[in-house]
Amino acid sequence: MIAAEGGTAVVDQLIVLLSVFLIASAVGTLVAKIGRFPYTIALLLAGLLVSIIVAVYDIGIVETLFAEELQLSHDLILLVLLPALLFEGAATTDLERLRRNLVPILTLAVPGLLVSVALLGFVGTYAFNFSLLVSLLFASMVLPTDPVSVLALFEELGAPDRLSVLVEGESLINDGVGVVVFSTLLALLVNGSTPASLLEPAKAAEVAAELVVVSLGGLVVGLVTGYAVYSVMVNLDEQMTEIVLTIVLAYGSFILAEHYLHVSGVIACVVAGLFIGNQGAEYAMSPRTKISVFNTWETAAFLVNTFIFIAIGVGTPIPQLVENWQLIVGGIVFVILARAAIVYPFTMLLNLRKHINIPLSYQHVMVWGGLHASIPIALVLGLQTEAPAGVPTAELKAMVFGIAAFSLVVQGLTMKNLLSRLGIVTRTQTEELYELLVGRARAVDAALDSAERLHASGEIPANVLDDFEAEYGREKEDLNEAISALLRDNPELRHEQLLMGERRVLQEEKSALMDATRSGVIASDVGERLMEEVDLKLDRVRSGESTARRDEEGYTESWRQQAAEFGLDADVRIDDDREAQSGG
């Protein structure tokens, strides 16, 4: 009997999942037919429609399947859904682009978030009639920008790389900071602390120290677990096992940090994803493994996004939203104002520094594109079970869900028009054509490699291989000519591709030197000296200057001069800035 009841529960859950993906399929078909429309927002609208049906009409089967079975919870979001999305978003983030924009990202994600929480917390005591601690708690829940929503939307819109890195990088980091601030404020509330205690130097120092420890602890856990998995993968060439290792890393780093070491699981997961998606992809994954790993995580993120956006829509408490519409409208206005109050002043100060220069148009998008959804919803759902008596959890839940719905639907749907009105080009026709040609060229190379493997294994005869090589060979020549012509006619695109290719080549040089040093082929002091030169060239490339030139040496390596001094007949070229390169 117990087994039968358990089986029934499993069947109900499977029916719900099938219903979710059936809705997703219908939405995807509709989106494909009506044109470019954000798929994730369409999923949310479909979920809201189900929620409205449940609220307005008493349809038993709909309420049973969706309102009861398809329920978001604090643990479901934070433990099951969020790690996958954070890890995938971090792993697909270019660490080099993130490094170039690290100062504005960290400035907005850490001090910027703290200032905005303080501002909204202070205003909220008057606007919402909350106590100061409750108002600060609400601000810490709702203000962190949501990577789930931002990553999905910006990917669909094809936003410019730098703008995407700024918004996505901030969202990945400030979520960890926001969760830490929320947990600290909730602990103060549970312990019965008064708002005045936050102004006491000792208490303020204690809170600040806890924030630093929890954040840095998450960073250390992410680096250690990422390196541990990387050290296994670097000596392994088994794509299925490496996929499993990345899954273990994503969830393991989060759980280890959050539940065992009591530091930030969000930051740990993000750092682990950045490490394995950049260092691991460069040095520990074969090309086939890299494709398999990233395809797996892309599929996982798509499935999780599908579930979470429908679930947010279904779980939106329509009657509570109607009942608290005034609080929700006020919350929407003040959240946007609090966002603007840190983006514009902070970026103005940042723009005083050289090489930052965040355009005003980007600032507008950063304000309006700061979406708030899954993280705030996870926190407010957890608040319902953890908050002490007297905290207005029903009002807070209505406000968070209402702000999330507005953020995703209104801000999300208007994002493309905003980009267009501001003159921000999402992707030029030249870039689209280049990506098309390069993508097809890679497919042709893969087809030729596959044909050769099939011939080597005896699955296709030699004359069939000749036909394949002739057909694909002609196409490859035509593609190479088209790519060369496109780059010749577009010097800016060529320079960008040159820098990107040179950076990857130099990283391969550095990896080869590290291997030679570890294996004893060259002495450690020699290896360090050679790697220092590679680092100098990498610094040039990162500043936008290529060291690869067709007619002359862009960088004169030290071996040429040393070989000449030793008496070897080497072609030594020493340019005018040789001393500047070597630091003296």
Side-chain angles (χ1 to χ4, degrees):
M1 184 67 180
I2 295 175
E5 290 176 357
T8 302
V10 171
V11 169
D12 289 342
Q13 292 168 359
L14 286 174
I15 291 173
V16 170
L17 285 176
L18 289 173
S19 302
V20 166
F21 290 115
L22 183 62
I23 293 173
S25 301
V27 168
T29 303
L30 181 64
V31 168
K33 287 187 177 296
I34 66 174
R36 193 164 178 80
F37 186 88
Y39 173 70
T40 50
I41 295 174
L43 291 175
L44 177 72
L45 293 173
L48 283 171
L49 180 61
V50 172
S51 183
I52 292 170
I53 291 172
V54 171
V56 175
Y57 301 102
D58 186 16
I59 303 176
I61 186 170
V62 174
E63 186 170 358
T64 300
L65 283 176
F66 290 99
E68 295 180 6
E69 295 291 339
L70 187 60
Q71 289 186 349
L72 286 175
S73 68
H74 174 268
D75 289 343
L76 175 64
I77 294 176
L78 283 185
L79 298 181
V80 180
L81 304 178
L82 189 62
L85 294 167
L86 288 173
F87 189 86
E88 193 270 342
T92 53
T93 298
D94 188 332
L95 190 59
E96 179 58 30
R97 288 207 300 262
L98 186 68
R99 187 197 66 81
R100 289 201 299 266
N101 295 281
L102 193 59
V103 172
I105 286 172
L106 286 178
T107 301
L108 291 171
V110 184
L113 179 66
L114 295 176
V115 170
S116 64
V117 168
L119 287 173
L120 183 57
F122 177 75
V123 171
T125 58
Y126 301 97
F128 312 128
N129 199 27
F130 293 157
S131 68
L132 181 57
L133 271 180
V134 171
S135 187
L136 288 169
L137 195 69
F138 166 71
S140 68
M141 278 192 296
V142 79
L143 282 175
T145 53
D146 185 7
V148 176
S149 316
V150 172
L151 292 172
L153 184 64
F154 270 61
E155 184 176 350
E156 289 182 26
L157 294 179
D161 285 343
R162 187 173 184 230
L163 178 59
S164 296
V165 169
L166 286 170
V167 177
E168 294 171 9
E170 182 195 356
S171 70
L172 286 170
I173 295 172
N174 73 7
D175 266 336
V177 178
V179 171
V180 172
V181 173
F182 170 83
S183 302
T184 303
L185 291 170
L186 182 58
L188 292 175
L189 200 62
V190 171
N191 294 333
S193 299
T194 62
S197 65
L198 292 174
L199 302 177
E200 297 174 3
K203 190 65 176 179
E206 180 185 341
V207 171
E210 184 176 353
L211 289 173
V212 171
V213 169
V214 170
S215 301
L216 290 180
L219 174 68
V220 171
V221 170
L223 286 174
V224 171
T225 54
Y227 182 78
V229 170
Y230 166 81
S231 63
V232 174
M233 292 174 64
V234 77
N235 297 312
L236 185 68
D237 188 17
E238 173 53 50
Q239 56 185 358
M240 292 303 166
T241 304
E242 292 184 60
I243 290 171
V244 173
L245 283 172
T246 60
I247 295 172
V248 171
L249 175 61
Y251 287 93
S253 61
F254 188 94
I255 293 172
L256 176 64
E258 192 75 26
H259 292 275
Y260 291 97
L261 300 178
H262 304 294
V263 294
S264 176
V266 173
I267 293 176
C269 189
V270 168
V271 171
L274 285 170
F275 189 93
I276 212 69
N278 289 271
Q279 183 80 1
E282 287 288 339
Y283 305 119
M285 298 182 197
S286 66
R288 289 183 63 192
T289 299
K290 193 183 302 184
I291 292 171
S292 298
V293 168
F294 283 100
N295 283 347
T296 298
W297 279 105
E298 183 180 3
T299 303
F302 173 78
L303 293 175
V304 171
N305 267 323
T306 296
F307 177 84
I308 200 169
F309 277 94
I310 291 180
I312 288 174
V314 171
T316 301
I318 301 297
Q320 292 181 26
L321 264 58
V322 174
E323 183 180 345
N324 295 281
W325 70 270
Q326 292 177 312
L327 282 175
I328 292 169
V329 171
I332 291 169
V333 171
F334 286 115
V335 164
I336 294 174
L337 289 176
R339 176 79 180 151
I342 63 145
V343 170
Y344 293 121
F346 276 63
T347 50
M348 182 181 69
L349 293 174
L350 288 166
N351 283 343
L352 297 176
R353 296 187 56 179
K354 292 182 178 180
H355 309 305
I356 291 185
N357 187 27
I358 301 173
L360 186 61
S361 59
Y362 280 24
Q363 296 174 39
H364 296 328
V365 175
M366 291 163 71
V367 171
W368 194 247
L371 307 184
H372 317 273
S374 58
I375 291 290
I377 287 172
L379 295 177
V380 79
L381 290 173
L383 182 66
Q384 291 182 296
T385 59
E386 299 176 20
V391 175
T393 54
E395 288 85 350
L396 290 174
K397 179 181 178 182
M399 291 176 72
V400 168
F401 270 89
I403 291 168
F406 176 88
S407 176
L408 292 172
V409 176
V410 178
Q411 292 176 246
L413 284 178
T414 55
M415 185 61 63
K416 184 172 178 60
N417 289 334
L418 178 63
L419 291 173
S420 178
R421 284 180 176 275
L422 292 172
I424 298 175
V425 179
T426 54
R427 186 182 293 132
T428 65
Q429 291 183 337
T430 302
E431 290 171 333
E432 287 186 6
L433 178 58
Y434 178 77
E435 291 176 9
L436 176 69
L437 295 175
V438 170
R440 183 57 194 164
R442 290 190 178 187
V444 168
D445 287 335
L448 287 169
D449 290 341
S450 176
E452 290 177 1
R453 285 197 304 272
L454 290 171
H455 173 64
S457 63
E459 296 182 51
I460 59 173
N463 58 350
V464 173
L465 175 63
D466 292 340
D467 291 341
F468 277 133
E469 289 182 335
E471 169 63 25
Y472 284 110
R474 285 192 299 270
E475 185 178 3
K476 185 174 180 179
E477 289 179 4
D478 293 341
L479 283 166
N480 288 337
E481 289 179 7
I483 292 171
S484 297
L486 186 66
L487 293 177
R488 185 173 58 250
D489 296 339
N490 296 273
E492 289 185 1
L493 178 63
R494 183 185 183 281
H495 183 66
E496 181 184 341
Q497 296 303 315
L498 175 64
L499 292 177
M500 184 177 69
E502 188 173 359
R503 180 169 60 85
R504 295 178 66 99
V505 168
L506 288 172
Q507 287 173 339
E508 290 293 334
E509 279 190 33
K510 193 171 182 180
S511 177
L513 289 170
M514 290 169 66
D515 290 341
T517 303
R518 282 196 298 262
S519 61
V521 175
I522 58 177
S524 59
D525 60 329
V526 175
E528 288 176 5
R529 191 161 66 247
L530 290 171
M531 282 188 279
E532 283 177 5
E533 288 199 332
V534 175
D535 285 334
L536 286 171
K537 288 192 278 186
L538 276 170
D539 287 339
R540 279 193 173 191
V541 172
R542 286 165 180 159
S543 64
E545 179 186 355
S546 173
T547 64
R549 298 171 190 169
R550 182 172 299 181
D551 301 323
E552 61 179 350
E553 284 288 302
Y555 182 99
T556 304
E557 287 80 3
S558 60
W559 70 265
R560 294 183 181 277
Q561 185 171 1
Q562 288 188 248
E565 291 173 356
F566 195 75
L568 294 179
D569 185 15
D571 184 12
V572 180
R573 305 180 184 91
I574 302 178
D575 53 22
D576 295 335
D577 62 348
R578 176 70 190 125
E579 291 186 1
Q581 293 172 5
S582 60

